[in-house]
């Protein structure tokens, strides 16, 4: 959930690239199992094929590890975090917002962000994906820590794998969407509008002659703001003139967003994936500091492609290998009317466990750490309630 509801060839080197010390709450005690593409790949029905003569896909580079994650995901199907009710069991908490994935609670000067396992599309929940909430929360924490040399953030602590406690701040009603490629399929995606003839988008001049999935000459910012229940593209001038942000605040947030994306692209490419596009949100603390909030470079907020097959597939006119949830959306679209049917069919276990694997694959690939699957079958909500209550007592 956006906190507004509560109160993507190699990129340029960033000006500062030395990350600070690792964040200790991520339980990175074991090295990541090798994802070397020299490992003998095993074809999977859902991993994108690299084409004849293509380099083996990272998604299939370590079949043994993939199998073990999928087995764990299948075993955790009945212990997903679909709903939270912390306000009923933790004194002093008030539910402030319930989004597609995150539930946000208020406690004095702090917000408690609980990332659930809910998987949404078509403006509704499609399924619960084992370990998804933990992956998203830990991915953001890793990036928050690694980007603190670029911008401060609102993170106070992480008392649980699925929870982040953050400082309350005034949230700017603008999403800072940064893009490195001409791609996408939605009404507001860059390829959709470019293919219709638009050459100036959100204040950015885009050259003629570009094709789908081509890298832009330089990364661009395409801000959006909310109108009813959908995002609306907006230019920087419109943001300032409408009073959504002051020019100084916007300029600062824009600079930070572009620097964050450039650094994110560098780190991602070093680990075999391309950060294609993403979105950031910012807020302002009581002392006037512009801080990064919400989530950073997660699979939900970002588009990622496999790097070693991009050039060949692009030259062949093929879609890039992606690490996303599109296959699950397509299954629902082909098996029901997800917009109108009151009751949806249950997502196949094979697809749910495959998506769990893709979330974990991306986390391990980028962070070079082994994702720690919970060893206990304690109900997630009970664990979260206990850890949050303890953390709030210690604030």
């Amino acid at each position: 959930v956006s906190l507004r509801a509560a109160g993507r060839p190699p990129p340029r080197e960033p000006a500062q690239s030395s990350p600070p010390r690792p964040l200790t709450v991520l339980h990175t005690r074991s090295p990541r199992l090798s994802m070397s593409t020299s490992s003998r790949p095993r074809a999977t029905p859902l991993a994108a094929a690299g084409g004849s003569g293509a380099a083996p896909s990272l998604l299939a580079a370590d079949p043994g590890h993939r199998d073990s994650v999928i087995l764990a995901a299948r075993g955790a199907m009945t212990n997903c975090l679909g709903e939270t009710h912390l306000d009923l069991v933790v004194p002093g908490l008030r539910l402030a917002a319930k989004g597609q994935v995150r539930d946000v609670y208020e406690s004095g000067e702090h917000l408690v962000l609980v990332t659930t396992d809910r998987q949404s599309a078509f403006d509704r929940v499609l399924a619960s994906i084992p370990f998804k909430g933990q992956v998203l929360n830990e991915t953001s924490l890793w990036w928050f820590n690694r980007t603190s040399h670029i911008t401060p953030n609102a993170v106070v602590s992480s008392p649980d794998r699925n929870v982040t406690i953050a400082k309350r701040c005034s949230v700017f009603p603008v999403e800072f969407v940064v893009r490195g490629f001409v791609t996408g399929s939605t009404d507001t995606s860059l390829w959709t509008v470019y293919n219709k003839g638009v050459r100036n988008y959100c204040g950015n001049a885009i050259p003629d002659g570009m094709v789908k999935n081509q890298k832009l000459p330089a990364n661009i910012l395409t801000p959006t703001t909310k109108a009813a229940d959908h995002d609306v593209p907006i230019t920087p001038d419109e943001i300032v003139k409408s009073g959504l942000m002051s020019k100084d605040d916007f300029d600062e947030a824009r600079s930070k967003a572009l620097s964050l994306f450039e650094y994110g692209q560098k780190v991602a490419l070093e680990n075999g994936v391309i950060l294609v596009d993403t979105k950031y949100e910012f807020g302002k603390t009581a002392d006037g500091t512009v801080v990064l909030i919400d989530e950073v470079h997660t699979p939900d907020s970002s588009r990622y492609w496999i790097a070693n097959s991009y050039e060949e597939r692009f030259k062949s006119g093929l879609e890039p290998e992606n690490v996303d949830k599109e296959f699950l959306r397509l299954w629902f679209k082909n098996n029901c009317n997800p917009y109108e049917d009151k009751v949806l069919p249950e997502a196949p276990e094979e697809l749910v466990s495959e998506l769990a694997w893709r979330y974990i694959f991306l986390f391990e690939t980028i962070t070079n750490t082994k994702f720690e699957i919970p060893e206990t079958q304690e109900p997630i909500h009970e664990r979260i309630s206990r850890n949050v209550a303890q953390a709030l007592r210690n604030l």
Side-chain angles (χ1 to χ4, degrees), residues 114-314:
V114 185
T115 311
T116 73
D117 297 325
R118 297 193 294 262
Q119 187 68 50
S120 297
F122 312 108
D123 297 321
R124 62 196 298 179
V125 176
L126 301 181
S128 289
I129 310 300
F131 318 126
K132 175 186 173 177
Q134 178 181 341
V135 171
L136 294 187
N137 191 58
E138 293 190 351
T139 297
S140 281
L141 288 169
W142 190 88
W143 280 110
F144 275 128
N145 184 63
R146 293 301 180 103
T147 58
S148 61
H149 63 292
I150 297 174
T151 178
N153 57 68
V155 175
V156 174
S157 66
S158 177
D160 184 273
R161 304 170 191 269
N162 290 64
V163 178
T164 293
I165 295 179
K167 292 176 285 189
R168 186 191 294 274
C169 61
S170 176
V171 180
F172 297 121
V174 175
E175 287 191 349
F176 287 73
V177 181
V178 187
R179 307 175 188 269
F181 294 75
V182 182
T183 192
S185 59
T186 65
D187 289 344
T188 59
S189 73
L190 188 53
W191 171 246
T192 299
V193 298
Y194 185 86
N195 198 35
K196 291 178 179 179
V198 175
R199 294 296 180 269
N200 192 299
Y201 190 54
C202 297
N204 300 283
I206 306 171
D208 287 324
M210 299 198 73
V211 297
K212 188 180 183 184
N213 302 324
Q214 185 175 352
K215 182 174 173 61
L216 287 161
N219 296 328
I220 63 173
L221 176 69
T222 60
T224 64
T225 188
K226 287 289 184 184
D229 59 349
H230 62 283
D231 294 333
V232 177
I234 187 170
T235 68
D237 285 344
E238 291 170 338
I239 291 172
V240 174
K241 288 179 181 178
S242 63
L244 294 175
M245 298 179 68
S246 70
K247 186 178 186 307
D248 287 345
D249 285 342
F250 176 79
D251 287 345
E252 182 175 350
R254 171 171 55 185
S255 176
K256 288 181 175 182
L258 290 169
S259 295
L260 286 165
F261 189 67
E262 187 176 55
Y263 179 71
Q265 284 187 313
K266 174 180 180 294
V267 174
L269 195 61
E270 286 172 351
N271 291 286
V273 292
I274 299 171
L275 175 59
V276 180
D277 48 49
T278 193
K279 65 96 177 170
Y280 307 102
E281 294 193 43
F282 295 91
K284 198 170 188 177
T285 59
D287 64 2
T289 304
V290 175
V291 295
L292 181 64
I293 62 170
D294 199 44
E295 59 184 329
V296 192
H297 299 161
T298 71
D300 273 15
S301 67
S302 315
R303 192 192 315 263
Y304 286 95
W305 293 338
I306 302 299
N308 68 352
S309 62
Y310 166 73
E311 287 289 348
E312 180 177 344
R313 295 181 70 86
F314 176 72

Side-chain angles (χ1 to χ4, degrees), residues 319-335:
E319 286 294 311
E321 287 186 277
N322 54 64
V323 191
D324 63 22
K325 55 184 180 288
E326 183 65 15
F327 65 87
L328 186 64
R329 290 182 78 258
L330 290 176
W331 185 89
F332 277 96
K333 196 171 183 179
N334 293 334
N335 287 275

